[in-house]
């Protein structure tokens, strides 16, 4: 069935019927997002998603300047690369494509924005982001999440590490418009960025914990990923074994099923088990 | 029969566990960095090759405090060692900081040549101070970087210059250059660059990116200021508690890790420089008069450190001899001589 869908996408793309493709892509994107987010078996998603990625590639080929399609491609590729791909080279390749789609989407939406991506002064970039209208928050958020996936895919690349402050600036702009954007997950991203370095090296672990707790609280305790991230990034950075084990225990004691959060929660619980195990050696 | 074998096995395992030694090592490097990946891989190798007789436990990200706190905890037996810069070990052996003397070296090739002859002297000095160095690596050259143009000494003097707390060499050198630096902890530098409390810092190209100072810096003086060296030092008393064969395993694993770090450090700084240039940061070549002036400041600082006994004359002589050999070799190579 998935293979048939992929073949169909190629046929549609080759026929050049961009309008049909776009409508189909919109419907596909909406249904797929709901279906994926409520799945409690990550392996099913991992096995099934690649066919949809190819399908999206086909739609994008037929509408190369369609920002909505490109943003959907960015989200899907980045999420797949970050969550389901362990092989380093594959992960990098797929995350690169996700970020490329996000950049192309931004360019399709706003040509002036394009130029700021390719080097240039940070302050100019920061001013550009600050000047973005509130309505741009969805585009900015997708850009930033794809961008951070691109960094994570190769942390040995200084060009990627150097972009972290720019990514932080984009997330900060989204938080300024809506502190609870994406069910508060925008704060989870900021929290992780704050916990990448200890305070003695200029990091902000306590502020990171506050961001992650805010993300968790906004979901009224249903979104477990911020807790797992808090343990992995902040508690380990602070070498706080008690905090680490406590929050991971809370994650494992909570039912992962919640509308729109089931897949993320299931992955968060898997990661929590791994962290508790490796924590015995770490602490 | 089986029961007896099991009992013997348990007894052997228990004996091994009883004699297992854990070396607790602190480092400022956060988890997830290339440094920690190398150190952890070495720790795993040691654990496997000694069959668990030597266990390495790391405390990353500065959780054990700064160098002063780590050295105190080593004295108290709470830690057995740590990763330090040469300057941080100057309280154990003053000449450990010799590579960070300002404007001492002209190129990384020269440093590499000198280190082959001088690293063993530094290791010996630290051994006499009670530490076994099981790995040394270079972190590259620090450069003067600023939010304002600092192409000349007068421009530099007009900026607010940062110096790390307890960095006597930097404070002496800046003072010789007519600069009154502002001393702050490293963790406060980014905010200070943001607020304008600081304008000029000295850091490696990769360090500027890792600490995110590159978002504020606009100008770099393209003249190597000082060489940053890192080393893993273990307290001799703790090291001596390990059997000789296992000591060799520890040395081999960490020396191998530090050789990798040495190589990756050079590549990291090269890549980081390209990134900084791409992000619009200007690298300014100082004119020959400026270079001569700054090298004279370096010489003056070195003489002062020699005069007050902060640096060993024997080690400085070894550096000068190696430099002369290297420069003569380079001159011959330039002239096409063997």
């Amino acid at each position: 069935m998935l293979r048939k869908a992929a073949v169909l996408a190629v046929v549609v793309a080759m026929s050049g019927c961009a309008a049909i493709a776009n409508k189909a892509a919109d419907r596909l994107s909406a249904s797929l997002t709901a279906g994926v987010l409520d799945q409690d078996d990550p392996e099913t998603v991992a096995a099934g998603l690649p066919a949809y990625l190819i399908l999206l590639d086909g739609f994008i080929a037929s509408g190369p300047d369609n920002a909505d399609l490109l943003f959907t491609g960015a989200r899907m590729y980045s999420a797949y690369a970050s969550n389901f791909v362990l092989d380093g080279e594959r992960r990098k390749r797929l995350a690169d494509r996700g970020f490329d789609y996000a950049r192309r989407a931004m360019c399709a939406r706003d040509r002036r924005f394009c130029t700021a991506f390719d080097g240039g002064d940070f302050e100019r970039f920061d001013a550009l982001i600050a000047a973005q209208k509130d309505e741009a928050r969805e585009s900015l958020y997708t850009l930033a999440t794809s961008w951070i996936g691109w960094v994570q895919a190769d942390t040995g690349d200084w060009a990627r590490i150097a972009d972290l402050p720019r990514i932080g600036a984009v997330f900060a702009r989204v938080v300024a418009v809506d502190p609870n954007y994406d069910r508060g997950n925008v704060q989870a991203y900021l929290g992780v960025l704050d916990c990448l370095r200890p305070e003695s090296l200029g990091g902000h672990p306590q502020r990171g914990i506050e961001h992650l707790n805010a993300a968790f609280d906004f979901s009224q305790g249903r979104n477990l990923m911020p807790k797992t991230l808090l343990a992995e990034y902040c508690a380990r950075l602070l070498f706080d074994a008690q905090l680490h084990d406590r929050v991971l225990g809370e994650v494992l004691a909570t039912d992962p099923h919640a509308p729109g959060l089931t897949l993320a929660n299931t992955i968060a619980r898997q990661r929590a088990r791994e962290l508790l195990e490796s924590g015995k050696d770490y602490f | 029969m089986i029961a007896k074998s099991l009992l013997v096995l348990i007894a052997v395992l228990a004996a091994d566990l009883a004699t297992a030694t854990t070396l607790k090592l602190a480092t400022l490097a956060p988890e997830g960095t290339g440094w920690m990946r190398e150190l952890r891989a070495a720790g795993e190798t040691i654990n496997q090759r000694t069959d668990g007789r030597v266990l390495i436990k790391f405390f990353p990200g500065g959780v054990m405090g700064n160098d002063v706190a780590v050295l105190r905890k080593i004295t108290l037996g709470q830690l057995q060692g740590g990763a330090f810069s040469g300057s941080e070990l100057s309280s154990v052996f003053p000449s450990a900081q010799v590579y960070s003397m300002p404007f001492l070296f002209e190129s990384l090739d020269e440093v590499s040549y000198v280190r082959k002859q001088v690293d063993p002297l530094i290791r010996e000095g630290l051994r006499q101070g009670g530490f076994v160095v099981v790995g040394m690596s270079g972190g590259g050259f620090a450069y003067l970087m600023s939010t304002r143009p600092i192409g000349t000494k007068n421009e530099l003097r007009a900026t607010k210059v940062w110096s790390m707390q307890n960095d006597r060499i930097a404070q002496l050198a800046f003072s010789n250059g007519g600069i009154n630096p502002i001393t702050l902890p490293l963790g406060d530098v980014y905010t200070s660059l943001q607020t304008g409390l600081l304008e000029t810092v000295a850091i490696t190209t990769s360090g500027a990116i890792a600490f995110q100072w590159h978002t504020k810096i606009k100008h770099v003086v393209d003249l190597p200021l000082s060489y940053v060296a890192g080393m893993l030092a273990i307290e001799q008393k703790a090291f001596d508690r390990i059997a000789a064969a296992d000591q060799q395993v520890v040395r081999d694993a960490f020396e191998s890790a530090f050789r990798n770090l040495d190589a990756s450090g050079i590549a990291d700084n090269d890549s980081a420089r390209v990134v900084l240039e791409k992000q619009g940061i200007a690298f300014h070549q100082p004119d020959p008069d400026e270079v001569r002036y700054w090298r004279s400041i370096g010489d003056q600082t070195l003489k002062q450190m020699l005069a007050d006994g902060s640096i060993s004359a024997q080690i400085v002589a070894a550096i000068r001899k190696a430099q002369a050999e290297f420069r003569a070799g380079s001159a011959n190579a330039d002239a096409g001589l063997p």
Side-chain angles (χ1 to χ4, degrees), chain B residues 53-70:
Chain B
R53 288 185 301 278
V54 181
L55 302 172
I56 307 293
K57 190 166 186 62
F58 293 104
F59 294 88
V63 291
M64 283 292 168
N66 64 10
D67 53 302
V68 178
V70 169

Side-chain angles (χ1 to χ4, degrees), chain A residues 194-210:
Chain A
D194 275 338
C195 286
L196 291 179
R197 282 175 296 150
E199 200 163 356
S200 60
L201 299 182
H204 301 281
Q206 290 305 334
R207 192 175 70 185
I209 289 173
E210 286 167 23

Side-chain angles (χ1 to χ4, degrees), chain A residues 224-232 248 251 268-269 271-272 275:
Chain A
L224 304 179
M225 191 57 91
K227 286 270 181 191
T228 300
L229 293 171
L230 191 155
E232 181 169 6
L248 294 177
V251 168
R269 282 161 55 90
R271 185 76 189 128
L275 288 168

